Amino acid sequence: MLQYLSTLDRRVVFLLMGLAVAIPILFPLPLSYKPSVLAQQAFDAIETLPPGSNVVFSFDYDPAASGELQPMANALMYHCGQRKHNLYFMALWAPGAAICSDTIDGILLKRCEGYEYGQNYVELGYQAGLAGVIKIAVTDLRQQFKTDKYGTPLDQIPMMKGIQNLQPMDLLVSVSAGDPGSKEWVQLFVTPFPATKMVTGTTGVQSVSLYTYIPNQIDGMLGAIKGAAEYETIVNAKYPGPDGKPLPELQEGQRRMGPQLTAHLLMVTLIAVGNVVYFMQRKASRRSGHARGAAR
């Protein structure tokens, strides 16, 4: 057995990993999630705002990060929609504008009642400039965004009347995969204008760099797919679908946790087995060396 494990073909490992990921996808695991403090704080930041509050929602990621971030974007948008907040959508990443439009169609307009373009939601779209977009938008929004995503002048959009910059926003929601993203929003908007609360959803890699801003600048944070699953649990409990059951669109994070869990368990098991094999081989080698020495 020891000899077999020490010469195990890597293709067997690939097969095991494939099964560890595929089986939970085909047969979802009945997992339950206890929301973390950060996920609950993110929920409370949106929930406690009076209906009709102004929320700027920034899509700061691309399709490469959608697997990790899209479930939380769905849940955050749905929650804002159920609270009837006025939503100002924008994107610091070029692909984010298209992702935003798809999410609006699949979540806000499909699952939330009463939303009409220009009245209580608007798409400002993407503007080149990276973090410089934030710098300008927080003082003179119309210098950076002269029209909405569809070319309509901002003055012709009812909900943009009186909005000269982002400072009147009650809440910022940034779903972020990197630079520019949540960190830049903290430094260039929330820190100089602390009246605006901030909630962020980030990749697991980026979340580490944002903990230092909690709780002074960031009121709540969803980290990686686990954070999305936790937030889905809270939102589904408070705002279930018409039949009283969780919406399918708000179960994707929980569904993706299954393959991640089994893959991680397999990795830990393989690492443990590899170490056991190594030490057993070393012990056997020492014994054979002592035996040869005694024979001499």
Side-chain angles (χ1 to χ4, degrees), residues 221-256:
M221 183 171 74
L222 310 179
I225 199 67
K226 185 175 185 295
E230 293 171 349
Y231 201 80
E232 288 176 345
T233 300
I234 306 173
V235 175
N236 281 325
K238 178 71 174 182
Y239 300 103
D243 57 357
K245 298 180 180 179
L247 295 173
E249 298 92 337
L250 268 64
Q251 293 180 289
E252 194 61 29
Q254 300 172 61
R255 188 181 70 83
R256 295 180 188 185

Side-chain angles (χ1 to χ4, degrees), residues 7-15:
T7 59
L8 185 66
D9 193 318
R10 68 179 63 185
R11 288 174 293 186
V12 175
V13 176
F14 297 156
L15 176 61

Side-chain angles (χ1 to χ4, degrees), residues 100-176:
C100 174
S101 295
D102 290 343
T103 309
I104 290 172
D105 291 339
I107 299 295
L108 189 68
L109 301 182
K110 181 180 178 181
R111 296 298 187 179
C112 303
E113 297 179 355
Y115 273 88
E116 182 180 349
Y117 190 85
Q119 298 295 332
N120 45 18
Y121 85 96
V122 64
E123 292 183 71
L124 298 176
Y126 164 78
Q127 289 288 328
L130 303 177
V133 174
I134 304 175
K135 287 184 178 181
I136 298 174
V138 297
T139 56
D140 190 351
L141 180 65
R142 293 164 191 271
Q143 180 181 343
Q144 184 64 60
F145 294 91
K146 293 179 173 56
T147 68
D148 69 356
K149 177 181 177 180
Y150 305 102
T152 304
L154 297 190
D155 289 335
Q156 297 180 16
I157 300 174
M159 66 182 296
M160 293 303 302
K161 292 181 179 179
I163 303 294
Q164 300 301 323
N165 51 53
L166 295 181
Q167 295 175 38
M169 296 297 146
D170 300 298
L171 176 71
L172 162 68
V173 178
S174 170
V175 183
S176 165

Side-chain angles (χ1 to χ4, degrees), residues 58-61 69 72 92-93 134 172-191 198-203 206-207 209-210 213 217-218 220-222:
S58 188
F59 281 72
D60 307 329
Y61 63 99
L69 299 181
M72 64 180 69
L92 297 179
W93 293 35
I134 304 175
L172 162 68
V173 178
S174 170
V175 183
S176 165
D179 182 6
S182 295
K183 187 175 182 179
E184 288 69 33
W185 277 113
V186 167
Q187 295 172 339
L188 300 175
F189 181 28
V190 179
T191 299
M198 178 177 177
V199 167
T200 181
T202 74
T203 59
Q206 189 191 29
S207 63
S209 65
L210 297 175
Y213 300 116
Q217 289 93 353
I218 297 178
M221 183 171 74
L222 310 179

